[in-house]
Amino acid sequence: MSIDFYAAFIIGLMGAGHCLGMCGGVAAALTMGMPNQQKNNRWHYLLMYNLGRLLSYTIAGGIIGGAFAGVATLTGSSYALISLRLFASVMMIILALYLGQWWQGLVKIEKVGHILWKRIAPKANTFLPLKSPMAALPFGVLWGWLPCGLVYSTLSWAAVSGSLVSGSLVMLAFGLGTLPAMLVVGGLASQLKQLLSNLYFKRANALLLLGYGIHTGYIAINQIM
């Protein structure tokens, strides 16, 4: 399996604080308005909600990966793909700086998706309060399109993955990485939450991503030259 898949998983895992801020409130509110007799099934709601999120990420990765692979095939030029790989390395560096809490520039990138989100959010809210676990699935699918710098950064790697399947797998790996943080909201061990939020732990992994981004950019530049 490509190292990009592991990197995507680490991005999701290390973005715990960001995930909790962006989607944690939504996950915690899933059971609001739910009859008391159904609250014992809250894990079913959380699992279906997160399954919906992962489905959105996987579909987006497949669309992006397949589209750019098609463009590269039609043009027959490797420079476009190399340039995109260079862009992906820059996004990885920006993401590493964000995860390490050295620079918050990634937050500005999220504003790009707010125009689309304004159209999606009202549709997502029509599912609330959730009547059944199955209703949490489409709710999660729609919330998967919430503007998120982590998602956008990982999509840049899906774009250069080389195929629809590879792009889908990159984003699926990212989604799986976000699960611990999102399930913590649902009541998993507080120790896990503390580990994922620990600044030293985050910075250690951010340095790994930073090194990976710089290495990838170096390879891309050499291919252009």
Side-chain angles (χ1 to χ4, degrees):
M1 185 175 289
S2 168
I3 192 172
D4 285 351
F5 303 147
Y6 297 109
F9 179 82
I10 292 175
I11 291 172
L13 186 64
M14 292 303 101
H18 192 75
C19 289
L20 291 174
M22 294 289 288
C23 299
V26 179
L30 283 179
T31 56
M32 289 181 61
M34 184 187 302
N36 290 331
Q37 62 269 26
Q38 293 185 16
K39 289 190 175 181
N40 290 332
N41 297 326
R42 61 184 180 276
W43 282 105
H44 298 162
Y45 287 80
L46 286 168
L47 288 173
M48 295 305 291
Y49 164 73
N50 283 289
L51 179 60
R53 280 195 315 109
L54 265 63
L55 183 59
S56 283
Y57 297 157
T58 303
I59 291 173
I63 292 173
I64 294 294
F68 279 95
V71 169
T73 301
L74 289 175
T75 60
S77 173
S78 61
Y79 287 104
L81 199 58
I82 292 173
S83 298
L84 190 59
R85 173 66 73 171
L86 182 59
F87 171 74
S89 73
V90 172
M91 290 295 293
M92 179 66 76
I93 292 171
I94 293 174
L95 177 59
L97 294 175
Y98 171 81
L99 293 178
Q101 297 184 11
W102 294 303
W103 186 56
Q104 301 298 303
L106 187 67
V107 176
K108 298 180 181 179
I109 299 176
E110 293 177 352
K111 296 180 180 179
V112 176
H114 280 289
I115 296 176
L116 176 62
W117 179 242
K118 288 180 180 178
R119 296 177 178 272
I120 297 177
K123 294 180 174 60
N125 291 333
T126 60
F127 288 95
L128 296 176
L130 298 176
K131 303 299 184 183
S132 68
M134 284 306 299
L137 179 64
F139 180 74
V141 168
L142 292 174
W143 269 90
W145 297 94
L146 179 72
C148 175
L150 269 70
V151 173
Y152 297 158
S153 297
T154 314
L155 278 173
S156 69
W157 291 93
V160 295
S161 62
S163 70
L164 183 151
V165 173
S166 294
S168 297
L169 289 176
V170 166
M171 291 307 296
L172 176 60
F174 165 77
L176 291 174
T178 67
L179 281 181
M182 298 304 297
L183 291 177
V184 160
V185 176
L188 286 184
S190 60
Q191 291 85 350
L192 177 59
K193 181 178 179 180
Q194 291 174 1
L195 174 63
L196 295 175
S197 301
N198 182 274
L199 180 60
Y200 296 107
F201 183 72
K202 290 170 67 174
R203 285 185 171 174
N205 286 277
L207 286 173
L208 291 176
L209 291 175
L210 181 63
Y212 181 46
I214 293 174
H215 175 69
T216 302
Y218 174 76
I219 293 176
I221 291 173
N222 283 341
Q223 288 177 324
I224 293 175
M225 297 176 62

